[in-house]
Amino acid sequence: MEENLNNNQVPQQPEPEKAAPPAVPVPVPAHSQTKLWLRAVAVLYALSMFAAFAVISKSDAARKLKPNEMDISKLTGLMQSKKDAVGVIPLYGVITQGNSSRSWEGGSQQIAKRIKLMAEKKDVKAILLDINTPGGSVGAVQEIYSAILRAKRETKKPFVARFGEVSASGGYYVAAACDVIYAQPGTITGSIGVIFSVSNFEGLMKKVGMKNETIKSGKFKDIGSPVRDMTAEEHKLLQGLIDDSYAQFVTAVAEGRQMPLEKVKTLADGRIYSGGQALKEGLIDKLGDLQDALDAAGELGKIGKNPRVVTTSDPLENLMSLMDSKLQLFGSKAVSEAMEIEPRLEYRWYGR
Amino acid sequence: MDYLNILEEVIERPEALAAAEAPAELGRAGLAGYALGTLGIFTFLRLQSAVPPGVMSFLMVLFFVLAGNLLLAAITHLFMDLTDARGSAARLFLAFGYTDYFFTLLVPAGFFVRLGYLGAFFSCCLCLAIVLYARIGLVRKLYPVSANKAALSVGVPYAGFFTLGMFAFVYGLAWLIWLLI
């Protein structure tokens, strides 16, 4: 059969159809691979987002349940507003009127302003005066005293005074306006009284050949002059002035401490007391440190012990104060103080 | 609109971002990068309980991301412009949006952080490094500059803000010490 096929005419076979191109495996383009990766990443991202939301919602729910697990003692803290606080106003150094252009010096106007602002704050429930001062000029001390009384009258907020190292004379005058006074056992306080001192440079001036001529409209116009001796009449007049200021001091203490005027007068001969002695005499209420005073203020303000503390610190004033204190190292303070020789009526203890 | 196609296109041909006529989809995908990246950051922060929940909270983070990137793109473009490298600021901003897709990596990283296998700060730094690397690459496509210059232009604003932050931190610390003493 095969031979036949060979010998004979080759049987006509149907012309083969045009061969289709061989099925070569098409390489996957890089684009498709990128897309595949992107899809995988998108799916993973969606899954991780789903898982993340599950975790977040679970932890949020756990956090919401947390307060229920708190012990009872902590519930008292939750009842009060987080904002409630005790305002602390420092009163350090000699109390003077101060220079209005140097607010960082903490003159009496600045202290009075701070008392007013602090008392007006809604979150401040009580105010603590952290006092460490030997007193100061009568007018300046009374400015702070009246600021406390006004704040108490207008806001009904309790004031607590805390004595540090020294709180004598004017420092005590200010504290007398407060509801409670705390002091350390060794605090120096008291010195209830008034002082007016004037230097007399007459002898020195004669020595250096310097003379002063004064033309005055009245005989008392140059009262307290440092260039001559004081006359008996002037002395009497000044004594009257001091007696009046003394009476104001004694009245303020009697009213503030709710003590009989006569008892205050027996205590107010200018002597100083330790914190322990002052407690015995009823000049202070309790012995304790700053934390004790804060606790007392917190309880008076009905926010409990260990209250949040708000201070009157102003960053700009602090910066200016720092710069000023650095300048003082160069002697500018000593020079300016030496220039201040004018006599002053003061509620001040000079033992410091 | 298929974002995956567009992303694929940008990954394969980043120069498409600098093309004379960029399609609107390209821009929208860039903005979507900011949204998804922010979602990644927000989820990471929520996992660490660093931000409060809610849409407003997310929008705040988105606002900060958009504002921050706008500023960074502006500074980078300004740097390029001042050094005679011409390019488009708007496209740079969109390109930064594409790099923000990498912030989605923060979501899985957040799980590792919670499990204690990774530090939160390390995760953020790692993610930021990836984003910065991607930004440098894209800047080179948008501006005719060398790799070093691209790295410098992207790094300068970050370095500036870091310096400012450090300065504020040191000042704050000194102020705090001074208040205490």
Side-chain angles (χ1 to χ4, degrees), chain A residues 30-35 38-39 41-42 45 47-53 55-57 59-60 63 313-323, chain B residues 2-9 11-13 35-37 39-40 42-44 46-49 53 103-105 107-108 111 114 171 175 178-179:
Chain A
H31 276 225
S32 301
Q33 276 185 2
T34 309
K35 201 168 188 175
L38 279 173
R39 280 200 176 132
V41 167
Y45 179 62
L47 281 174
S48 58
M49 284 301 287
F50 180 74
F53 279 116
V55 171
I56 290 166
S57 56
S59 59
D60 278 356
R63 199 172 296 120
S313 178
D314 181 338
L316 185 66
E317 281 187 5
N318 286 344
L319 181 66
M320 296 305 291
S321 174
L322 177 74
M323 287 167 66
Chain B
D2 189 353
Y3 283 111
L4 287 180
N5 280 338
I6 298 165
L7 275 180
E8 183 193 4
E9 179 70 18
I11 290 167
E12 296 299 331
R13 283 195 323 113
L36 276 177
L39 190 63
F42 181 72
T43 311
F44 178 80
R46 283 290 298 132
L47 280 169
Q48 313 311 318
S49 301
F103 278 123
T104 54
L105 290 173
V107 181
F111 286 108
R114 271 186 85 100
Y171 175 78
W175 183 68
W178 171 52
L179 275 184

Side-chain angles (χ1 to χ4, degrees), chain A residues 114-134:
Chain A
R114 284 177 189 176
I115 290 168
K116 184 175 183 286
L117 291 174
M118 192 65 93
E120 283 170 354
K121 281 185 181 175
K122 281 185 180 172
D123 56 332
V124 172
K125 301 296 176 192
I127 293 161
L128 174 80
L129 286 178
D130 186 12
I131 302 172
N132 192 12
T133 169

Side-chain angles (χ1 to χ4, degrees), chain A residues 188-205:
Chain A
I188 291 175
T189 186
S191 186
I192 300 169
V194 193
I195 192 166
F196 179 91
S197 60
V198 55
S199 305
N200 187 347
F201 299 114
E202 193 179 4
L204 178 69
M205 286 173 71

Side-chain angles (χ1 to χ4, degrees), chain A residues 253-319:
Chain A
V253 174
E255 284 175 1
R257 302 299 304 162
Q258 292 170 348
M259 282 165 78
L261 207 61
E262 291 312 311
K263 191 191 172 187
V264 178
K265 278 183 181 169
T266 58
L267 299 172
D269 56 0
R271 76 180 67 185
I272 53 169
Y273 299 92
S274 70
Q277 289 171 327
L279 181 67
K280 277 181 198 161
E281 299 293 352
L283 289 172
I284 65 165
D285 295 292
K286 280 177 185 171
L287 294 176
D289 57 11
L290 180 61
Q291 187 57 49
D292 293 325
L294 279 170
D295 289 344
E299 285 184 343
L300 282 171
K302 295 185 177 69
I303 54 174
K305 285 188 175 180
N306 202 14
R308 190 170 73 92
V309 172
V310 174
T311 56
T312 54
S313 178
D314 181 338
L316 185 66
E317 281 187 5
N318 286 344
L319 181 66

